[in-house]
Amino acid sequence: MSSTSARKTALDALHRALGATMTDFAGWDMPLRYGSERDEHLAVRTKAGLFDLSHMGEITVSGAEPAEFLNYALVGDLAAVGVGRARYTMICVRDGGILDDLIVYRLADAEFMIVSNASNAQHVLNELSNLAEEFDVEVRDDRDAYALIAVQGPESPGILKSVTDAEIDGLKYYSGLPATVAGVPALIARTGYTGEDGFELFVQPEHAVELWQALTKAGEGVGLVPCGLSCRDTLRLEAGMPLYGHELSLSLTPFDAGLGRVVKFDKAGDFVGRAALREAAERASQEPPRVLVGLVAEGRRVPRAGYPVVADGQVIGEVTSGAPSPTLGKPIAMAYVDAAHSAPGTPGVGVDIRGSHEPYEVVALPFYKRRK
């Protein structure tokens, strides 16, 4: 049951009119599914899906030193990001633990927008606000300033082109473009969390219903369907994309998570967690931490987060995410396992599902990669 105190997006009434099953997610009342999760998932893989992502957190950083500030607060080199481009990065605490993974858009020379996970939005805002005291910047909570609608899937470019004059074909992956979409001002970002081509549209909340309806009408002939959070999770799992609270957490550094590439030690100046992250990088080079791998079931039982991964009667790791894969037709999981058992095809690996050791094949991530 969804909580009566949960926040509602600007599209709440529309979701209910469409018959969505609603759920409380990170304090927001969000659509879990509209009908069949499998059908929604396959629509995104083969045609297109429409998502309400308005629960995500938006934070704007502007002023005299936004690039210098973000280079200090985050592990990436944000000063190197050009206007109109975006960067995947992380905010870590001083001991190197991951507070959240983020997408940062450079909207102008002196203005950036940070998009955080809904569950961490307030933590990220608090951390950035505290760190900003040493810089000439403004950190603004813009969660109420945006609704966020995503159209994802192979038909998404055609759908979007039919409702905007913006130059979509020239918009690169991880880029953003201010434009008018279906008559309303929007930031079009070529980003997503499904493994497919697609776009995320940031608009004022009062324009959300109008935009959703225009996109729905534009997609009528090509199989566009509304999609909930449930299929978004199976889509990102197939694409090997990490989810905070599962593959990422405060107890892991980016190097523990196999994402050390996002940490830029060669950028100018100090940054939060630098010393701890340098030590983590050295540890990882000398003694590899557990490796995030894919697991594909030989049977039909579905692994869940927290289930032990076993080999030769010993626990060698832990499942972080698991679900039936509509694309593969089998249960799949991501898991951190000891490096010695991380190679694809490693024999004898299984998952302890309520006392029964079910056989699983170790595979490289991602499980699914779209054709370009």
Side-chain angles (χ1 to χ4, degrees), residues 31-322:
L32 186 65
R33 69 182 75 83
Y34 297 84
S36 160
E37 296 167 3
R38 181 178 181 276
D39 289 349
E40 291 172 25
H41 179 112
L42 293 175
V44 176
R45 285 280 178 257
T46 61
K47 297 169 185 174
L50 194 60
F51 297 83
D52 180 8
L53 305 179
S54 302
H55 60 312
M56 302 294 281
E58 294 89 10
I59 301 165
T60 301
V61 177
S62 59
E65 301 178 296
E68 295 86 346
F69 167 63
L70 291 177
N71 265 17
Y72 175 71
L74 310 179
V75 301
D77 187 357
L78 283 306
V81 177
V83 174
R85 298 307 303 269
R87 182 70 49 85
Y88 176 78
T89 187
M90 296 180 181
I91 180 169
C92 291
V93 295
R94 297 202 179 274
D95 70 0
I98 303 167
L99 183 64
D100 201 12
D101 63 332
L102 313 164
I103 295 179
V104 181
Y105 299 87
R106 191 166 197 165
L107 304 181
D109 282 338
E111 185 177 13
F112 293 78
M113 181 174 68
I114 299 165
V115 180
S116 69
N117 286 291
S119 57
N120 291 330
Q122 191 62 47
H123 299 303
V124 173
L125 177 66
N126 293 345
E127 182 74 1
L128 290 175
S129 298
N130 291 336
L131 295 172
E133 294 175 1
E134 301 298 319
F135 292 84
D136 186 3
V137 292
E138 178 192 359
V139 175
R140 187 173 71 237
D141 180 3
D142 272 347
R143 282 176 286 181
D144 293 334
Y146 293 105
L148 178 56
I149 296 172
V151 54
Q152 298 277 304
E155 297 288 349
S156 60
I159 292 169
L160 189 56
K161 278 193 279 191
S162 72
V163 292
T164 184
D165 293 331
E167 183 48 58
I168 296 302
D169 289 337
L171 189 65
K172 295 179 180 178
Y173 187 50
Y174 266 67
S175 293
L177 175 69
T180 299
V181 182
V184 305
L187 173 68
I188 303 174
R190 199 164 204 161
T191 47
Y193 195 52
T194 63
E196 297 298 336
D197 191 11
F199 305 87
E200 295 179 322
L201 308 173
F202 297 84
V203 298
Q204 296 173 14
E206 57 265 32
H207 297 316
V209 170
E210 182 182 353
L211 179 58
W212 180 283
Q213 291 174 335
L215 290 166
T216 297
K217 189 171 190 303
E220 280 177 353
V222 292
L224 176 76
V225 301
C227 294
L229 294 181
S230 184
C231 86
R232 188 169 184 252
D233 189 50
T234 53
L235 289 160
R236 71 91 194 169
L237 176 56
E238 287 184 352
M241 295 177 169
L243 174 63
Y244 196 89
H246 290 255
E247 288 73 41
L248 308 174
S249 71
L250 267 176
S251 64
L252 296 172
T253 73
F255 295 94
D256 297 324
L259 292 167
R261 64 182 180 276
V262 306
V263 181
K264 304 302 181 185
F265 290 115
D266 56 353
K267 63 179 175 177
D270 194 14
F271 62 91
V272 176
R274 182 184 187 114
L277 289 168
R278 178 64 79 183
E279 291 178 7
E282 291 173 0
R283 283 197 306 272
S285 67
Q286 294 167 7
E287 183 179 341
R290 282 184 166 177
V291 178
L292 188 65
V293 301
L295 298 174
V296 178
E298 295 182 17
R300 308 305 304 172
R301 299 189 69 183
V302 179
R304 299 298 182 190
Y307 284 11
V309 182
V310 295
D312 301 322
Q314 302 295 315
V315 174
I316 60 159
E318 185 175 293
V319 171
T320 55
S321 298

